[in-house]
Amino acid sequence: MPPRRAVTGRSQEPRQRFVEELRLLRAQKGDSLRQLGDVLGWDWSLFGKMEKGQTMGGPEVAQALDQYYGTAGLLLTLWEVAAGDPTQFKERYRRYMTLEAEALSLWHYAVSVLPGLLQTADYAYDLLSAGGMSGDELTRNVEARMGRRELLEGNHGPRFRSVLSEAVLRTPLEDAEAWRKQLEHLIEIAKRPNVTLQVLPFSSGLYGLESTAVMFLRLPDGRTVAYTESAHRGELIEDPQPVERLQRAYDAVRDLALSPAESRKFVMRTLEEVPCDPST
């Protein structure tokens, strides 16, 4: 069999090919790194490091670039191959990421940890570290998670509601100052007109989602899909019947939760309980 001929003349090494495509697409668009950072909401230096091959970024970054350049998943696919673990981001999760970016509204229930859209960098770092990540992989995923928060910002951000089990607020970070900043971030983000934050107190008793963190997405075509998640796996659910059952359970949880105003007071009381740094 004759050797395979390179059609494009570009690198056949996955990581280098990813870098080449990033450079080519930005050149064709005519953007500077700073302009790219301003448009997509990440620090421009991240894109510079990606184009030098110093970091891979994360799947959310690759997806955002695909949407901006109109490359229909090319960069996300190249990222997945170059990252060396094609099983890490399976088809359902890739599809969920696409749907999340398109959603008109999102609503979420948190069993034990904050959703990524509400996390500070310190919280994300500690959470992902506890899950076994380290090194460049950890850095990439924290950067990507911070980038995802941009979804809620701006004048056209989708509506987002999150109901937090009290357990989420009773599980602090080891660093008291980092935990203080996380709680302050919750208070600030809840002031945004498109964000609603509620707390489900322990006193509410048993309910239907004790062991299930779930995100619902309302899509432009009128459908609602759900994404359930545990520490070890996530599942995208598009079948209307199980989505409806989950929605009824969520509605019951929301009805048991404190009002947004009372929830803000709850978070503020939690903040007041955080010990102050004696050196400040």
Side-chain angles (χ1 to χ4, degrees):
M1 179 179 293
R4 182 178 176 182
R5 181 172 61 91
V7 177
T8 64
R10 298 175 200 158
S11 175
Q12 301 301 297
E13 192 279 316
R15 190 178 182 110
Q16 183 59 32
R17 177 61 176 270
F18 180 65
V19 167
E20 289 177 0
E21 292 296 336
L22 291 176
R23 293 172 179 168
L24 176 64
L25 288 166
R26 184 170 64 83
Q28 291 174 340
K29 193 80 170 179
D31 288 341
S32 69
L33 289 171
R34 289 186 182 275
Q35 288 172 326
L36 190 60
D38 289 343
V39 171
L40 296 184
W42 275 277
D43 190 291
W44 67 271
S45 63
L46 171 62
F47 298 111
K49 291 177 182 178
M50 290 172 69
E51 290 189 14
K52 292 178 181 177
Q54 296 173 350
T55 180
M56 288 290 296
E60 290 91 345
V61 182
Q63 182 195 30
L65 289 166
D66 267 329
Q67 292 174 339
Y68 180 62
Y69 292 133
T71 43
L74 169 65
L75 293 175
L76 183 58
T77 299
L78 289 175
W79 181 94
E80 186 177 84
V81 174
D85 186 5
T87 65
Q88 184 178 5
F89 295 95
K90 296 182 180 179
E91 180 63 33
R92 286 191 175 187
Y93 186 62
R94 291 201 302 269
R95 178 162 172 74
Y96 167 76
M97 290 164 59
T98 300
L99 295 176
E100 182 185 75
E102 298 173 352
L104 301 177
S105 60
L106 311 89
W107 53 107
H108 178 268
Y109 174 63
V111 175
S112 56
V113 299
L114 288 167
L117 292 173
L118 299 181
Q119 293 174 12
T120 61
D122 285 336
Y123 190 99
Y125 185 92
D126 282 8
L127 180 63
L128 295 172
S129 295
M133 284 191 191
S134 61
D136 289 343
E137 180 189 21
L138 176 60
T139 300
R140 289 198 307 268
N141 278 273
V142 171
E143 289 174 347
R145 189 159 295 190
M146 292 305 94
R148 280 182 65 203
R149 299 194 317 178
E150 303 296 329
L151 180 70
L152 300 181
E153 297 182 358
N155 296 327
H156 303 291
R159 297 194 63 82
F160 177 64
R161 177 189 297 270
S162 186
V163 180
L164 309 177
S165 166
E166 183 175 343
V168 175
L169 300 174
R170 298 302 181 192
T171 310
L173 299 177
E174 184 175 351
D175 185 319
E177 184 59 27
W179 181 234
R180 175 183 294 278
K181 290 179 180 178
Q182 174 64 79
L183 294 175
E184 290 172 344
H185 178 67
L186 289 180
I187 293 169
E188 286 303 310
I189 200 171
K191 295 178 182 178
R192 294 180 185 170
N194 61 317
V195 176
T196 301
L197 187 66
Q198 292 182 262
V199 175
L200 181 71
F202 290 142
S203 59
S204 298
L206 297 175
Y207 52 94
L209 291 175
E210 286 88 353
S211 60
T212 305
V214 60
M215 177 79 86
F216 297 92
L217 309 176
R218 177 67 53 78
L219 303 176
D221 62 8
R223 291 185 303 129
T224 296
V225 301
Y227 188 78
T228 59
E229 193 169 23
S230 70
H232 304 289
R233 61 168 298 181
E235 181 180 6
L236 178 64
I237 303 172
E238 299 187 71
D239 188 321
Q241 290 187 340
V243 170
E244 175 64 22
R245 288 196 294 270
L246 282 168
Q247 179 69 67
R248 288 197 298 267
Y250 180 87
D251 289 345
V253 167
R254 184 195 59 202
D255 292 343
L256 290 170
L258 301 176
S259 70
E262 288 300 318
S263 295
R264 185 172 185 272
K265 293 177 182 177
F266 191 104
V267 178
M268 292 181 71
R269 288 196 298 270
T270 306
L271 176 60
E272 291 170 356
E273 296 169 3
V274 179
C276 294
D277 185 343
S279 64
T280 61

